[in-house]
């Protein structure tokens, strides 16, 4: 399996809305941290999240989290 690209070594902290999100798992999206279809032709698929509350969300930016799609601090070890 291919390894994900690390677009940044910190989380994307964004205000979440009550809606579905497609988090980019491959790191190739030009619309980080969300999927834009750049994974086509790879082994990756976006992680679909049905967010049910409003508030800040720390989306993983390094793609190394063990708690996809959320930041778990793994970027500290890259």
């Amino acid at each position: 399996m291919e390894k994900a690209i690390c677009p940044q070594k910190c989380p994307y902290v964004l205000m979440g809305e009550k809606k579905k999100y497609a988090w980019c798992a491959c790191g190739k999206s030009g619309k980080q941290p969300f999927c834009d279809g750049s994974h086509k032709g790879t082994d990756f698929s976006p992680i679909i999240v049905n967010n049910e509350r409003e508030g800040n969300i720390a989306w993983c930016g390094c793609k190394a989290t063990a708690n996809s799609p959320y930041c778990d601090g793994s970027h500290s070890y890259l």
Side-chain angles (χ1 to χ4, degrees):
M1 184 170 180
E2 295 177 64
K3 187 174 179 179
I5 295 169
C6 174
Q8 73 176 28
K9 290 184 179 180
C10 61
Y12 294 91
V13 180
L14 303 171
M15 178 60 75
E17 299 175 24
K18 293 180 182 179
K19 68 177 195 176
K20 285 189 180 181
Y21 291 95
W23 176 77
C24 170
C26 70
K28 295 181 179 183
S29 175
K31 295 183 178 183
Q32 290 295 329
F34 306 114
C35 179
D36 69 358
S38 295
H39 63 276
K40 299 276 193 257
T42 71
D43 295 330
F44 292 97
S45 295
I47 304 294
I48 306 301
V49 175
N50 187 18
N51 189 49
E52 297 185 4
R53 64 183 182 95
E54 295 179 352
N56 284 338
I57 299 173
W59 302 98
C60 176
C62 71
K63 311 303 177 188
T65 184
N67 189 31
S68 296
Y70 309 108
C71 177
D72 69 357
S74 293
H75 59 273
S76 300
Y77 304 103
L78 297 178

